[in-house]
Amino acid sequence: MGLAISSARASGSFSAAAALTAQEHVEIYRLMFLSRAIDDREILLKRQQKTFFQISAAGHEALQVSAALALRPGYDWFFPYYRDRALALGLGVSPYEMFLQAVGAGEDPASGGRQMPTHWSSRRLHIVSTSSSTATQLLHAVGCAEAGRYFSRHPEVAAKAEGDYRAFKDVEFHGDEVALACVGEGSTSQGEFWEALNTASNQKLPVIFMVEDNGYAISVPVEVNTPGGNISRLVENFPNFHFAEVDGNDPVACLGAFQAAATHCRAGNGPALVHGHCVRLYSHSLSDDDKLYRSAAEREADALCDPIARMRTRLIGEGLMTGAEVEELERALEREAAEAAERALAAALPRVEAIPTHVYSEDLDPTRAAFATEQMAEGGKESGQDAKAKSGGRTMAELINACLRDEMRRDKRIVVYGEDVADASRGEALAEVKGKGGVFKLTSGLQTEFGAERVFNSPLAEANIVGRAVGYAVRGMKPVVEIQFFDYIWPAMHQIRNELSVMRWRSDGEWAAPAVIRVPIGGYLTGGAIYHSQSGESIFTHIPGLRVAFPSNALDANGLLRTAIRCDDPVLFLEHKRLYRETYGRAAYPGPDFAIPFGKAKVVRPGTHMTLVTYGALVPRALQAAHQAEKEHGIQVEILDLRTLSPYDWEAIAASIRKTNRVIVAHEDMLSWGYGAEIAARIADELFDELDAPVRRIGSMDTFVAYQPILEDAILPQPAKILKAIVELKAY
Ligand SMILES: Cc1ncc(C[n+]2csc(CCOP(=O)(O)OP(=O)(O)O)c2C)c(N)n1
Ligand SMILES: [Mg+2]
């Protein structure tokens, strides 16, 4: 009966809502009912303890099915949330695939048994892996739409290139595709909802926001989340939007709304928001009991709006199906769900040995030798024109800027954005002004050379910066974004921890978000105080899937940034503000292909009496202390600069300790729970027999950094403190 419809779907075109065929009406019903049948079967399995979580689309089917039918799987892009079963079904995820995820099978194509049920992912259909976090996906949709527009304007950029992440990116674009971003009404309270609307509106992006308003966020009713109780009233002044507010229980009305929204977006007129009022017929999830907070009358009123019952009445009332045919179809769909469930229950379970796969790229290892072009620079590459190099070398700031410039010339998929990174958003001013190019001038001149399409200011919203980067990166672009100060990375933390770093693992390798986030970090600024001096790198090295680099000098910064950009993993690139323009660590420009592999420490000072493991701004301070230790006490300290903190060079640490038998781990960040704690613990664990003395650690006081320089000096580790530790450890 409904099967002939699949040919209509393949062409990506369902008839206009006002002119639906009888068969199309039946197909809508088929998808809605099948979604419910899968939910009901899953609930049974959960009650039998054959699955471990259940959340249903019951009551949302009309809205979701019509969104699917108005759009084109494998052509448009989809950023659903955890309640979007009927959407996924309408796009082409099979019931069997759904049950594979519910049972946590190894063959679960969305995640290989890693994610809860209904956390969708399909590269074939362009469904980008979903997390459980509410509203994060909206910014991904925005970045994805930006990337699609960029590729369609510069199609040559989509070509694959050997030697970097591009070798592994199959870029697809058409020029009129849209991104669907789904969200519950409660989740519109998240800042990321507003941050997504901001950029979609400002950039006129082809994103359809679907607000599935079931009136509740778990137990919290809509009026508590949304002032006035209606999100449509709050958003209606955003420019460039097409808005629709629909009865989400009426699939034909919903289909019309989505078709109109898609037309607006495909024509390049801007984004759309379709606000559907639907019902939540079951509790929030099987872990919730709505009888605890909803009156019986309210629940009964919702039940009367059941979109499936309404559609059934319509089909029969309009003579599109007889009651007996509906019965027959429903029983067949229930059987289909039951059979799919049985097959999935028999599927192989995931392999425990495979747990670490896809934490990082399996294709492109940034520790590999191909990134070791370091020798090219050793004295070598100074060209005749490089007069500055001859007079003492380039600063870290200059060589980071040079790397960005070189890489942007080489790879047109790179976009640079963040707060104040452009030379001037009002580009016409550049005829008379020099331009800003970042509060530390690290991106200076990039907009002037590469244009405002590739180098631009973001809104003042850190989650916006990183969330969009995820969307850009999953689409195959290389966003190299800036967070203005490490102290203000925290609004982006949710995106970093729950999205950027875990995209590859949670989708079992299907999606990845290899963005680079450059972040000025650290203190020793004389007056930087609490909000311009923070460290905190161990918070990020504690995140699997994320690479963390922390160079101490100009050359390392240049080579590590190049590796960060070319590799296929997300990288947090920490740049110490105090080192940007120091005399220490300047270097000649090493050329446009100079790279340093991750996970390779550098012996910056050889020694035999003890090892000092450090990085960042403590490298020059440790060198000063080591110099004094030699001069005044005859102690030879070997200093290892880790250069990258995740991965880190354990072999170099171990080799040095085997030689010296004594070790200090020193960093600028607070001592307690700091980066050194992990290194010290591993040394104690694995090198106990090599040690002639306990492992020493040096860090800042366990406080914030104060403004008054006397206090700042006392709080942050100074060379004198390092010297004292060296002398004590030698005497132990
Ligand atoms: C950032 C975040 N905070 C809290 C939660 C826990 N949580 C999961 S669903 C939910 C309610 C969402 O309600 P709504 O957006 O209305 O969607 P619905 O579930 O009603 O479809 C909450 C609080 C979460 N997943 N993510
Ligand atoms: Mg809700």
Side-chain angles (χ1 to χ4, degrees), residues 60 81-83 132-134 184-187 190 214 216-218 284 494:
H60 290 233
Y81 78 113
Y82 51 75
R83 204 181 286 294
S132 301
S133 303
T134 56
E185 90 296 334
S187 304
Q190 294 283 2
N214 58 19
Y216 274 92
I218 309 185
H284 171 75
H494 194 196

Side-chain angles (χ1 to χ4, degrees), residues 500-631:
L500 180 85
S501 61
V502 67
M503 183 63 84
R504 190 187 292 275
W505 193 81
R506 78 178 187 217
S507 64
D508 206 16
E510 195 164 55
W511 300 102
V516 178
I517 308 174
R518 294 183 34 252
V519 196
I521 188 171
Y524 300 107
L525 303 181
T526 314
I530 303 162
Y531 301 104
H532 297 83
S533 305
Q534 289 177 26
S535 299
E537 56 276 10
S538 63
I539 295 168
F540 294 88
T541 54
H542 194 58
I543 300 176
L546 185 68
R547 309 283 191 184
V548 181
F550 199 157
S552 72
N553 60 76
L555 198 62
D556 285 356
N558 183 281
L560 291 170
L561 182 57
R562 185 160 284 105
T563 303
I565 290 172
R566 294 186 186 183
C567 87
D568 204 15
D569 293 317
V571 181
L572 186 72
F573 196 82
L574 302 173
E575 303 169 0
H576 203 289
K577 303 187 283 280
R578 180 59 202 263
L579 298 177
Y580 271 152
R581 294 180 170 81
E582 290 255 298
T583 314
Y584 163 79
R586 293 188 184 198
Y589 168 64
D593 282 310
F594 171 69
I596 298 175
F598 284 2
K600 299 284 178 286
K602 185 164 187 170
V603 178
V604 292
R605 185 184 205 278
T608 50
H609 292 141
M610 70 183 64
T611 302
L612 197 153
V613 179
T614 191
Y615 52 88
L618 275 224
V619 174
R621 284 160 184 77
L623 278 166
Q624 202 182 320
H627 181 71
Q628 230 173 320
E630 181 176 6
K631 217 168 82 184

Side-chain angles (χ1 to χ4, degrees), residues 77-92:
W77 290 76
F78 301 92
F79 295 83
Y81 78 113
Y82 51 75
R83 204 181 286 294
D84 286 331
R85 181 188 304 290
L87 172 77
L89 200 61
L91 293 175

Side-chain angles (χ1 to χ4, degrees), residues 630-643:
E630 181 176 6
K631 217 168 82 184
E632 295 169 10
H633 306 275
I635 306 172
Q636 300 281 349
V637 182
E638 176 150 297
I639 300 179
L640 275 189
D641 178 357
L642 289 178
R643 308 201 289 187

Side-chain angles (χ1 to χ4, degrees), residues 286-427:
L286 229 55
S287 318
D288 173 46
D289 179 4
D290 67 354
K291 294 190 194 71
L292 295 174
Y293 52 85
R294 297 185 78 180
S295 69
E298 189 181 288
R299 285 185 287 110
E300 281 156 24
D302 264 14
L304 290 176
C305 296
D306 183 345
I308 290 189
R310 278 172 55 168
M311 189 64 181
R312 184 194 291 123
T313 307
R314 183 173 188 159
L315 289 175
I316 298 171
E318 292 182 12
L320 300 168
M321 287 178 97
T322 64
E325 282 172 336
V326 171
E327 273 285 310
E328 190 192 328
L329 174 64
E330 291 179 352
R331 297 299 80 76
L333 293 171
E334 282 164 357
R335 274 197 305 280
E336 185 182 342
E339 282 163 19
E342 284 311 307
R343 276 174 62 211
L345 283 167
L349 296 177
R351 290 181 312 115
V352 172
E353 310 79 67
I355 291 170
T357 13
H358 302 308
V359 173
Y360 298 102
S361 167
E362 312 290 321
D363 302 314
L364 188 51
D365 178 1
T367 67
R368 72 181 195 179
F371 286 110
T373 62
E374 209 170 349
Q375 64 292 347
M376 286 168 59
E378 306 288 318
K381 271 257 173 174
E382 284 173 43
S383 64
Q385 314 98 324
D386 207 343
K388 198 159 181 194
K390 294 210 168 105
S391 64
R394 304 290 187 93
T395 62
M396 183 192 277
E398 287 172 315
L399 285 194
I400 288 172
N401 180 270
C403 177
L404 290 170
R405 216 178 265 273
D406 287 341
E407 289 303 296
M408 290 189 80
R409 283 179 191 155
R410 178 183 165 276
D411 177 1
K412 294 199 168 45
R413 291 196 199 177
I414 298 172
V415 286
V416 167
Y417 63 89
E419 295 156 13
D420 298 284
V421 304
D423 290 325
S425 285
R426 295 179 180 166

Side-chain angles (χ1 to χ4, degrees), residues 55-56 60 64 81-83 131-136 183-190 192 212-220 225 278 280 284-285 494 498:
I55 193 159
S56 88
H60 290 233
Q64 294 178 12
Y81 78 113
Y82 51 75
R83 204 181 286 294
S131 79
S132 301
S133 303
T134 56
T136 45
V183 67
E185 90 296 334
S187 304
T188 64
S189 291
Q190 294 283 2
E192 280 150 306
E212 302 182 36
D213 186 348
N214 58 19
Y216 274 92
I218 309 185
S219 69
V220 182
N225 263 301
C278 59
R280 197 186 76 192
H284 171 75
S285 73
H494 194 196
N498 279 357

